[in-house]
């Protein structure tokens, strides 16, 4: 059975800014974590790679939220689920 649906989360501009700030902090942490890739051995490479992937995803979400907030209104976060896969995107209200 195919399960699909879209959840809409509405945020006022202050909450959208809180989201941007949070995504920035996570992105900074992931960038720092990416430095683990320079450690010798396989563990450092694996952890650094995971942090790098996580950091890029966070930067993409932050960019989308920043673009959605340009109008000065709130934003809408759409969470679309198909089976067990979710995609998230943002638009302005």
């Amino acid at each position: 059975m195919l399960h699909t649906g879209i959840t809409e989360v509405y945020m006022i501009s202050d909450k959208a800014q809180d989201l941007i700030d949070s995504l920035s902090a996570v992105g900074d942490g992931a960038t720092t974590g990416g430095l683990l890739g320079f450690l010798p051995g396989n563990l450092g490479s694996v952890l650094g790679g995971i942090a790098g992937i996580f950091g890029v995803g966070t930067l993409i979400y932050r960019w989308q939220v920043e673009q959605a907030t340009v109008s000065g209104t709130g934003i809408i976060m759409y969470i679309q689920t198909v089976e067990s896969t979710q995609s998230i995107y943002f638009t302005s209200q």
Side-chain angles (χ1 to χ4, degrees), residues 38-78:
F38 293 107
L39 293 175
N42 291 334
L43 182 60
S45 295
V46 169
L47 292 175
I50 291 170
I53 291 169
F54 191 64
V56 169
T58 302
L59 288 174
I60 292 169
Y61 285 141
R62 187 180 77 194
W63 180 81
Q64 288 180 358
V65 175
E66 287 173 343
Q67 294 303 304
T69 59
V70 168
S71 67
T73 61
I75 64 170
I76 306 169
M77 177 173 71
Y78 298 92

Side-chain angles (χ1 to χ4, degrees), residues 2-3 6 16 23 33 49 56 60 67 76 79 84 89:
L2 180 66
H3 298 285
I6 294 179
L23 289 170
V56 169
I60 292 169
Q67 294 303 304
I76 306 169
I79 306 167
S84 61
Y89 54 99

Side-chain angles (χ1 to χ4, degrees), residues 10-23 62 65-66 68-69 73-76 90 93:
Y10 290 78
M11 293 177 230
I12 60 174
S13 56
D14 290 346
K15 295 299 178 187
Q17 186 59 51
D18 290 345
L19 180 58
I20 291 170
D21 295 343
S22 296
L23 289 170
R62 187 180 77 194
V65 175
E66 287 173 343
T69 59
T73 61
I75 64 170
I76 306 169
F90 303 88
Q93 289 188 25

